[in-house]
Amino acid sequence: MSKSLVREIGIGLLHVAGAVIIGASIGGLLFSGLDWLRTFGATNDSPSVARNALSSLPNSPNPTLGLIAAVIEWYSSTFFGYSRFGSGLGILVGCFWSMDVAIRGRAVTRIIVGFVTGFAIGFRCAIFVVSQPHLVLICSLLGGTLTAFYIFLAGRKSAFSSLPRLQFKHQP
Amino acid sequence: MSESNKTELPNGPFLLRSAPTAMLRLALGSACTIATLLCIPDGAAILPDTENFGVWLVRITGLWLSAYFLWTLGFLAILYLVRTLTRGIELKDDGFKLWRFGRLVKWDCVRAISCEAQPFFSKAFCLTPVVHRLIIYCAKPSKSVGKPEKIVPHSIPSFQFTAEEFQSLLVFVSERCFGIQPSGAHLLLIDDSAKGQLKKSYEQGRTLRVAMSAFILISLVAFLSRRAVVNFNFNKANHEYRQERYQAALTYYRTATTFDPTFAPAWDRLARTEYRLNLVDEAEKDWLKAIQMKPDFVESKIGLATISLKKHEYSKARQLLTSALRLSPTSIAAYLSLSDLYIREYQYTSAIDILRQLVESNESNGRARGLLARAYLRSGQIEEAKHQLESKTKHKPDSVSDTAFLSLVAAEVAIADGHVDNAELSLTRLSAPFKNGVMPDDLLLDWIALRSVQSDDLAVENLVRSAKKRGIPKDEIEAARRVVALRSPTHE
């Protein structure tokens, strides 16, 4: 693998990580602000929450599943209520932006960055529906594979060229 | 129409894809109108829950901004998806395709081209420059012999492209089909031989557009009215619920869910109200509906877990609570239910560990304090249990139900401590509201414990029969009967 390719992959992965973190933070903050506005002056009906998670749930003996469970718990305790929804939107927006950047790269870059992006999309979509680590892992892997496949295909050189700039007839 | 001035066209094939900047402009422009429309019913719906105009203004601003961001992001995502699926307009040497899987329309089938401004559409969705619509009328040979060819219009709106791209498309199509370079966006180029058919096709298109506009208008009015009814009923029901007028709240929540069966928070609140009214089966069904509509609805999962605990289905409760805590690791309600489950499954150390943290973080949490006292009592630490109950006088519990729960646990401690008269007094007071109804399982078990201590075998037998009928597990009944087991080793 050439040095420039490694650099390209590294930059692509940094793009994904940055976009996901920034997207989640902005989305989370934005939607918790919006929630404050929407419920301003109304009686607080939202369920009470502790400052920190009190005890971790019994963990899986499998280290991968344990890690997935820990990430789900960390994410859920960091973003709760309306900010959970907002951060989810932010992650998806960040991922799509990363895909748009990665599509211009070389095939290997497209596959690797596409897989990571799809993994993040699959993860966030999965925890909307399920919370079992093994199901979340399956959805994330599926998301990663499909996205890598899509970006690989979409980034191929097209047989079409873009329409050249044509102008209206100049009228004196 | 411009006069003929044919120039050399570049060689294709070309692909004209929707421009990201144009899609963003459309999403942002339409978001203004859509958010405003959506806020009309919300403005009325939040009235039951709003004190004054200032509060109303802040809340409506929040709602407008939420709708604005959600529409922009959601619509942009849809536009990108459509762009990916359709790919774009393909301009080839022999014809054009409007999308990836579309039919190739030959250039020599084109009978007319028109391009006109859409000022109303542009104003409605705050779009500048003014949107134009290019319509390419193509001939489709008739299947039956002798009949004239059919003219089919293909519409291409300019809002998917930048102004330069749309201009290029217009010039390319005009030159390719009629050999004319247009001088502006307002254009009508017709093949004289198809005039009659074109008129018919244009009129058909116009009728279709009017019908479509009427349909959209009616749908919009129906949608907004429905939203107004749903939100108004939901807010009114919340108001009634907070006043503890559960019957009235039930009616409003039911109306909200009838008008919008996909509204998960209304199903959740309806179930909560039903649970308060002791309609446990209905509550279970409605909590399940809430989860169907919103699979990560933590409060509904906790509600279902509470019912499972009530029905002594502990493995189901554990599954629900694990899922709830994974989705919301700071939910106090989930921790309370989990510690209740631990107590029922004799895991007192785990329960005490969680409950102590809950009590430390909020000393007026009566439910946590009561459960902690119960966990201490059952693990044989009666002095600790008493200490927790004594603290209740220093820290006023949050609600009436918390106070009742603390009294129940106090009665349990009194039984274990041998203060039978005090326990009887407390239990009689707590049982009064259930004279003509069904008393909670906890209370029934405490009566069994009390009567066992009093050696009233006949009463114990009747109570045990009633407990078995309800499906309370045998070991829990036996534990209540062997109330001496509750006593601490020092008391023994």
Side-chain angles (χ1 to χ4, degrees), chain B residues 141-157:
Chain B
S142 177
K143 279 176 190 166
S144 43
V145 188
K147 275 199 172 178
E149 60 184 15
K150 207 175 157 189
I151 302 286
V152 182
H154 297 287
S155 213
I156 304 170

Side-chain angles (χ1 to χ4, degrees), chain B residues 256-330:
Chain B
T257 51
T258 309
F259 275 88
D260 186 0
T262 61
F263 191 22
W267 284 116
D268 176 66
R269 291 302 184 88
L270 173 63
R272 234 187 270 189
T273 313
E274 284 164 340
Y275 188 77
R276 292 275 167 123
L277 291 168
N278 214 20
L279 304 167
V280 179
D281 290 341
E282 283 89 337
E284 189 175 14
K285 270 185 214 161
D286 292 338
W287 265 322
L288 281 171
K289 274 181 195 158
I291 291 177
Q292 264 176 17
M293 297 307 147
K294 191 174 184 291
D296 63 348
F297 210 140
V298 172
E299 286 73 43
S300 298
K301 283 177 194 264
I302 298 169
L304 281 173
T306 311
I307 291 180
S308 299
L309 283 176
K310 211 178 165 113
K311 289 183 171 174
H312 309 282
E313 296 166 354
Y314 298 146
S315 66
K316 195 174 160 190
R318 181 190 297 277
Q319 220 174 352
L320 284 161
L321 289 171
T322 307
S323 168
L325 277 170
R326 201 146 266 155
L327 295 172
S328 176
T330 50

Side-chain angles (χ1 to χ4, degrees), chain B residues 111-129:
Chain B
R111 295 288 177 267
I113 298 168
S114 79
C115 184
E116 51 190 38
Q118 306 285 311
F120 177 74
F121 182 87
S122 308
K123 273 215 170 126
F125 292 113
C126 319
L127 296 171
T128 45

Side-chain angles (χ1 to χ4, degrees), chain A residues 30-31 34-60 69 72-74 76-77 79-80 82 84-85 89-90 93 96 100 124 127-133 150 158-171, chain B residues 2-3 5 9-11 13-16 49 51 54-55 58-59 61-63 65-66 69-70 73 84 87 90-92 164-165 167-172 181-185 238 242 269 272 294-296 299 322-323 325-333 335 338 353-354 357-358 361:
Chain A
L30 180 72
F31 276 79
L34 287 176
D35 192 36
W36 180 82
L37 284 175
R38 282 154 51 103
T39 53
F40 180 76
T43 314
N44 188 11
D45 282 340
S46 55
S48 27
V49 289
R51 259 164 291 171
N52 301 303
L54 301 183
S55 67
S56 55
L57 296 163
N59 225 337
S60 164
I72 298 173
E73 282 170 42
W74 175 84
S76 304
S77 57
F79 301 102
F80 52 88
Y82 211 45
R84 180 184 165 84
F85 174 73
L89 272 182
V93 170
F96 285 121
D100 204 44
R124 185 56 192 89
I127 60 169
F128 173 67
V129 185
V130 291
S131 58
Q132 292 93 326
Y150 165 71
S158 170
F160 294 94
S161 46
S162 54
L163 185 65
R165 187 70 44 90
L166 300 172
Q167 304 231 313
F168 288 134
K169 194 179 78 176
H170 177 69
Q171 279 187 327
Chain B
S2 279
E3 65 209 54
N5 187 9
L9 275 179
N11 286 323
F14 300 114
L15 181 68
L16 189 61
D49 211 16
E51 290 160 20
V55 170
V58 174
R59 292 182 67 188
T61 309
L63 289 167
L65 285 172
S66 299
F69 287 123
L70 285 177
L73 292 177
T84 307
R87 190 157 64 183
E90 292 171 17
L91 303 164
K92 296 181 176 175
E164 293 79 21
E165 281 172 347
Q167 181 181 323
S168 304
L169 175 70
L170 201 58
V171 173
F172 184 88
Q181 186 187 10
S183 56
N238 287 345
R242 279 194 289 273
R269 291 302 184 88
R272 234 187 270 189
K294 191 174 184 291
D296 63 348
E299 286 73 43
T322 307
S323 168
L325 277 170
R326 201 146 266 155
L327 295 172
S328 176
T330 50
S331 164
I332 286 178
Y335 280 117
L338 186 68
D353 188 34
I354 292 174
Q357 294 179 64
L358 283 179
S361 64

